[in-house]
Amino acid sequence: MSGTTRTTRTVSGTRTTRTRRSAGAAGLLAAAAVLAATAAPAQAAPVPRGTVQVSVGVNGAAPDNQSQSKGISADGRYALFTSWATNLVEQPAKSARDAYVRDLRTGRTERVNLADDGSALNGFTDYAAINADGRYVAFESDAENVLPGMQVQGRTEVYVRDRRTGRTELVSGGLTSGDTDRFHASYAPSISADGRYVAFVSARTDLVPGLVPDRAPDRVPGVRPGAPSLARPYTWDYNIYVTDRWTGRTRLVSLGVDGKPGDSMSLNPTISADGRTVGFTSFASNLVPAGQSPAARAATAQAAAADVEPAPGTAPALPRSAREGLAGPNLALPTTGAYYTYDVDSGRISAASLDLDGKLGFASFDATISPDGRRAVYALPEPGGSTNGHRYHLVLYVRDLRKGTVTKVSGGLPGTTSVGTSDHGSITADNRWIYFSSAADNLVAGPQHPGWEVYRQDLRTGRTERVATAPDGSFGNGSSTDPFVDAAGDAVVFGSTSGNLVAGTAGPATADAQVFARTSGHHGGDDDQGQDQGQGQDDD
């Protein structure tokens, strides 16, 4: 297959480039060491080669509802997903959406958003993240039975489940909270490779002493100043925090150059494997010096993104508690925002979502960073229509934060123009392979898939190929999205409505997406961290 057109430019003189030069090499080594510590022993049995369905009911039954991919452990053994299905484990579900981990080597599935006593939760879980060896799963929930002694009932908070010990702990603050507003939610966790650091979004006012966010709803692009729907209990004071689980310390990531919290909403954090870099999206105007702030271009950028074709499954801007309370016509929710990186050691924030000309663009909410924290992966709106009638589509970029180079990933084959959206990039630990979702019809030569497809591109050569194919290499008969790749590129999980991806199956496309894994058959982890089908725990 032919490679796509690749355009790379060096953007000099940016804060991002200067920030990472001094610590870049050390960060690479640290991240590599963390990931190496979780690598599979030589004796480990291999994960089956080929494509398998991850979201499977008890005794192989078909799931009774849809599922969505959320991650994969660095060793490629454990797949993380959320599901509305009620028949994936023996333990009865109490909520409508739960988080699960499936061992790709043994085929065992366990529910992981559990109370500290091991019981099922009575609330929703939309976001979840898994650490490198699969021992820890960070999740958010609005359940009221996660831990005894919770003072605020029904508020979404962030927790970490230790699959080895079977314990669940609260990460976003303490049980004896001074913040009594249940709408001050915490959500969207991301966890470091060793499970020590958890980054998340929160509107709580008591996480860092002395820091109280300023309310400035008029600075959110597309939101009318003083709109009734912005009155309490609904708040735009969402900031990014990172908690050290070993010390219990929480620090504010979205801290402005004026020493104040971000003056508008920040969301979508991703933390690097070593916990030293956090990427996040923000509408705040005080995170970088005035000359670098996108505030002056906010209205124009937001207008350009108003009719952009989004990728299926794009993360919502607000937590469930806020979304369900909003009166739809009263609030224009943002669809894109500037993407930044935060250096934990120096405390510096740098603009990351630059285009080929070095200008800060508003990226989709699926932006992320590489495991070593060196590269930002983001999709920017581009005019020219789309395959589904929108005026704008998203094009995927990768920026080397140390060198300042920007590479356009989904530009299409030579001589063609891409019009289908590409987004949700996931990059391997060596920064060579990037997996992503796309509706473009010009990324590979030959006949084209009519819907959404998962692709991977070799960032060294530009070669692009399909991933979510049938065993004989033909198209999946549905749409595939939301890939997450392991550290080495040996396994990738994704969602799909296709019914012909697994060997021996030839079913039609389904209405409900399910989660699949495609593996090369290399070794997974050795220690079984979890429990079988929600029953007894392993003794290790």
Side-chain angles (χ1 to χ4, degrees):
M1 285 175 278
S2 300
T4 58
T5 301
R6 289 162 54 80
T7 306
T8 303
R9 296 184 186 176
T10 299
V11 181
S12 59
T14 64
R15 272 187 65 181
T16 301
T17 302
R18 293 198 301 269
T19 298
R20 297 305 303 177
R21 284 189 189 280
S22 61
L28 263 170
L29 292 174
V34 171
L35 291 173
T38 65
Q43 316 289 356
V47 171
R49 183 185 297 269
T51 300
V52 297
Q53 185 167 332
V54 173
S55 50
V56 179
V58 175
N59 298 322
D64 58 16
N65 214 321
Q66 61 182 314
S67 303
Q68 185 176 18
S69 57
K70 291 297 180 181
I72 189 169
S73 57
D75 57 14
R77 176 171 175 178
Y78 298 103
L80 174 69
F81 64 101
T82 56
S83 184
W84 296 82
T86 62
N87 64 335
L88 302 183
V89 296
E90 298 286 355
Q91 186 185 36
K94 293 182 179 179
S95 65
R97 188 170 185 173
D98 287 310
Y100 299 86
V101 165
R102 185 168 179 88
D103 186 329
L104 297 180
R105 177 163 66 86
T106 67
R108 297 192 306 177
T109 300
E110 63 174 292
R111 184 183 289 120
V112 288
N113 61 328
L114 296 172
D116 188 49
D117 62 7
S119 61
L121 299 184
N122 59 5
F124 284 83
T125 291
D126 288 322
Y127 297 84
I130 193 167
N131 83 312
D133 66 358
R135 173 174 176 174
Y136 300 104
V137 173
F139 66 93
E140 49 90 72
S141 178
D142 60 357
E144 300 178 354
N145 63 326
V146 185
L147 296 171
M150 287 289 289
Q151 289 190 345
V152 181
Q153 300 296 305
R155 181 167 68 196
T156 300
E157 296 289 2
V158 172
Y159 305 88
V160 167
R161 177 76 176 176
D162 185 334
R163 298 177 53 235
R164 178 176 295 173
T165 65
R167 302 302 303 271
T168 299
E169 66 181 90
L170 175 65
V171 171
S172 52
L175 291 174
T176 56
S177 169
D179 187 339
T180 59
D181 188 341
R182 73 182 185 92
F183 288 94
H184 282 172
S186 301
Y187 68 110
S190 179
I191 191 167
S192 63
D194 60 3
R196 176 174 179 175
Y197 301 99
V198 179
F200 57 94
V201 184
S202 184
R204 285 181 61 159
T205 60
D206 60 349
L207 295 180
V208 177
L211 289 177
V212 179
D214 295 326
R215 297 187 179 277
D218 57 310
R219 300 190 185 183
V220 179
V223 177
R224 301 194 321 273
S229 59
L230 292 175
R232 290 189 63 171
Y234 314 119
T235 175
W236 286 96
D237 292 336
Y238 290 103
N239 278 282
I240 308 298
Y241 296 86
V242 62
T243 293
D244 183 338
R245 294 179 51 242
W246 294 5
T247 66
R249 179 190 178 192
T250 297
R251 71 168 71 187
L252 176 64
V253 170
S254 50
L255 180 64
V257 292
D258 55 2
K260 298 179 180 179
D263 57 19
S264 191
M265 181 173 67
S266 297
L267 60 143
N268 180 37
T270 304
I271 195 166
S272 61
D274 61 6
R276 293 183 53 193
T277 307
V278 179
F280 64 99
T281 302
S282 184
F283 305 100
S285 62
N286 63 332
L287 299 183
V288 293
Q292 303 175 29
S293 173
R297 299 189 301 274
T300 301
Q302 191 61 30
D307 192 21
V308 67
E309 178 183 19
T314 299
L318 299 176
R320 179 176 297 275
S321 59
R323 298 199 310 270
E324 292 182 345
L326 292 173
N330 294 335
L331 183 62
L333 293 178
T335 58
T336 59
Y339 194 64
Y340 299 89
T341 57
Y342 170 83
D343 187 291
V344 174
D345 292 340
S346 67
R348 290 185 179 180
I349 294 176
S350 304
S353 54
L354 275 61
D355 62 18
L356 294 175
D357 295 323
K359 296 179 180 179
L360 181 60
F362 274 40
S364 80
F365 294 156
D366 274 344
T368 187
I369 57 173
S370 58
D372 63 2
R374 176 170 170 173
R375 285 169 172 79
V377 180
Y378 49 91
L380 300 177
E382 199 167 278
S386 76
T387 54
N388 290 320
H390 297 272
R391 291 183 299 155
Y392 296 84
H393 63 283
L394 294 169
V395 178
L396 198 65
Y397 293 82
V398 174
R399 181 165 186 251
D400 188 319
L401 300 172
R402 187 169 67 180
K403 293 182 178 180
T405 54
V406 178
T407 300
K408 192 175 187 178
V409 173
S410 58
L413 294 167
T416 68
T417 301
S418 177
V419 293
T421 280
S422 297
D423 203 357
H424 197 94
S426 180
I427 196 167
T428 54
D430 62 1
N431 292 308
R432 175 168 183 177
W433 296 95
I434 183 169
Y435 289 69
F436 60 98
S437 309
S438 183
D441 59 1
N442 63 339
L443 300 182
V444 296
Q448 300 297 312
H449 189 282
W452 285 87
E453 174 65 285
V454 172
Y455 296 86
R456 73 169 185 169
Q457 183 176 126
D458 186 335
L459 291 174
R460 296 181 187 174
T461 67
R463 179 186 176 92
T464 303
E465 57 192 16
R466 295 185 180 90
V467 172
T469 58
D472 62 0
S474 60
F475 295 149
N477 56 15
S479 289
S480 300
T481 58
D482 300 338
F484 292 88
V485 66
D486 70 356
D490 293 333
V492 57
V493 297
F494 58 92
S496 183
T497 60
S498 294
N500 63 336
L501 303 182
V502 179
T505 63
T510 61
D512 291 334
Q514 298 301 330
V515 178
F516 296 84
R518 180 170 176 173
T519 63
S520 65
H522 289 190
H523 286 74
D526 184 47
D527 294 330
D528 193 348
Q529 309 286 355
Q531 54 193 69
D532 187 5
Q533 298 287 349
Q535 303 300 301
Q537 299 173 1
D538 293 326
D539 297 325
D540 61 344

